[in-house]
Amino acid sequence: MKFLGYIFSYSFVWLLHLLPEPILYLLSDLLYLLMYHVVGYRKRVVYDNLEKAFPEIDKPEIRRIAKKFYHHLSDLILESAVFHFYSESKALKRITYKNPELLNELYSKGKQVMAVLGHYGNWEYLSSLGLAIDYPVIAIYKPLRNRHFDRMVQKNRRAYGVIPVPMEKIARKLIGYHKSNTPVLTLFLGDQRPLYHQIQYWTKFMGRDTPMFLGTEKLARKLGAAVVFLKIRKLKRGRYEVETELICEGPEGLKPFEITNRHVHILEDLIREEPAYWLWSHRRWKHGEYHSRSD
């Protein structure tokens, strides 16, 4: 049954990618109506997150942002599903890399790079990053229980040359590249929620106590790596732009947690610039509520 589900899903997505763009976004509009008005997918979570992140905003504006978020989420689901079927040239028409020369300069210096991003814009489009820069690109992923879907995810990530590495193997893999003097760029989602027993550091994010993974900072310090933030902006439906912001060329001289705080602040500024494009349906502050009660 799992294999049949995989075959059906793969065939359905393959057919979707053949649709003209206006038809694809018409389906996205229908998906929005279903998720927001019919099913009410995680509406309570979305509104609660928005109200707590923006206490200064009135309810009509919160509602406007929420509806715009659901429109974007519908676009995101369909865009991500079909993206990896596109040719390289077509993929690069969907996402523009604004300043790839910054990364190429780091590559010429032989620097390992930790590239932080958030669940903002369409982060799946970054699988095309290797087409625009000199670096081999590594994407960290959590293996799926269904081996057929897991194989499909890995195949999608490899479509434009990305090297998928399971989360539990990333440290060993990067140390291996470091020892062989092979510079690589690794993509880290910096706004994921750690399990409670994994929490080592709390900081303020969108005005709220928030636990953060320290993997990016720890590996950057261990490998003497540069750290950048990839700021994804949505220009219009199906079109995105990525601006690379340098956090540090190396961790030397930086205070503990400074790398983490810097990438958290950059993401927060990006969200405040256009709130609708962050993943508000994610219960990012679940542990923060417990932390606040226990203080």
Side-chain angles (χ1 to χ4, degrees):
M1 288 297 294
K2 289 182 178 179
F3 180 69
L4 289 176
Y6 161 76
I7 292 296
F8 174 80
S9 300
Y10 186 90
S11 301
F12 178 70
V13 172
W14 184 83
L15 289 172
L16 278 180
H17 103 277
L18 298 175
L19 295 176
E21 204 168 71
I23 303 299
L24 185 70
Y25 285 111
L26 177 60
L27 290 178
S28 177
D29 291 338
L30 294 174
L31 182 59
Y32 157 75
L33 292 173
L34 179 66
M35 284 201 299
Y36 185 82
H37 291 285
V38 180
V39 177
Y41 172 72
R42 294 199 173 188
K43 268 176 111 170
R44 183 177 296 178
V45 173
V46 171
Y47 274 89
D48 184 61
N49 281 339
L50 284 169
E51 287 167 1
K52 288 179 176 176
F54 300 102
E56 74 282 5
I57 293 180
D58 60 24
K59 288 189 176 181
E61 180 63 10
I62 290 290
R63 186 169 182 267
R64 185 195 69 80
I65 295 171
K67 293 177 75 172
K68 189 173 181 179
F69 160 72
Y70 277 96
H71 275 292
H72 170 67
L73 181 61
S74 301
D75 286 354
L76 175 66
I77 290 169
L78 293 183
E79 288 169 359
S80 300
V82 304
F83 183 67
H84 299 96
F85 288 98
Y86 292 154
S87 65
E88 292 183 358
S89 60
K90 190 173 182 178
L92 288 175
K93 289 179 181 177
R94 296 318 192 256
I95 185 163
T96 302
Y97 295 97
K98 192 174 178 180
N99 55 339
E101 64 277 0
L102 191 156
L103 294 174
N104 289 335
E105 183 179 344
L106 292 172
Y107 181 79
S108 69
K109 296 177 181 178
K111 299 288 295 185
Q112 303 287 350
V113 172
M114 311 286 137
V116 188
L117 57 139
H119 288 92
Y120 189 89
N122 191 331
W123 56 93
E124 289 292 339
Y125 274 19
L126 285 175
S127 61
S128 66
L129 178 59
L131 301 177
I133 63 173
D134 296 332
Y135 275 101
V137 176
I138 290 177
I140 305 169
Y141 79 100
K142 185 177 181 180
L144 302 176
R145 291 182 181 180
N146 185 314
R147 60 186 177 88
H148 303 296
F149 282 102
D150 186 66
R151 190 169 68 245
M152 182 171 73
V153 169
Q154 291 191 50
K155 182 180 178 182
N156 288 346
R157 294 279 165 81
R158 291 193 181 101
Y160 308 118
V162 165
I163 305 164
V165 176
M167 188 184 303
E168 67 275 10
K169 296 181 180 179
I170 190 62
R172 187 186 309 170
K173 192 77 172 177
L174 292 183
I175 290 169
Y177 281 119
H178 178 67
K179 288 181 177 178
S180 65
N181 294 315
T182 304
V184 296
L185 180 147
T186 307
L187 299 172
F188 289 85
L189 277 163
D191 56 356
Q192 296 195 89
R193 187 186 73 222
L195 297 174
Y196 199 79
H197 70 273
Q198 296 174 324
I199 297 174
Q200 297 177 312
Y201 180 63
W202 294 82
T203 190
K204 288 289 185 181
F205 172 55
M206 301 301 295
R208 305 181 66 183
D209 291 332
T210 307
M212 289 290 168
F213 276 114
L214 293 177
T216 305
E217 177 157 344
K218 287 182 175 180
L219 283 168
R221 292 185 183 278
K222 187 175 185 66
L223 304 176
V227 183
V228 302
F229 193 95
L230 301 177
K231 299 164 76 171
I232 308 169
R233 290 186 173 91
K234 186 171 186 174
L235 305 178
K236 61 179 182 178
R237 299 182 99 173
R239 300 295 184 275
Y240 297 83
E241 178 184 83
V242 180
E243 179 184 2
T244 303
E245 182 169 332
L246 183 66
I247 292 176
C248 65
E249 195 165 321
E252 301 82 9
L254 296 181
K255 297 176 182 178
F257 313 120
E258 188 171 350
I259 291 172
T260 301
N261 286 331
R262 286 187 185 184
H263 71 67
V264 168
H265 292 153
I266 293 170
L267 176 59
E268 181 173 329
D269 288 344
L270 188 63
I271 293 170
R272 292 188 183 281
E273 184 181 305
E274 177 46 81
Y277 300 148
W278 193 55
L279 193 62
W280 294 102
S281 54
H282 179 45
R283 292 190 66 190
R284 184 61 184 86
W285 290 292
K286 181 180 179 181
H287 298 324
E289 294 164 3
Y290 176 85
H291 179 68
S292 298
R293 290 197 299 268
S294 63
D295 284 347

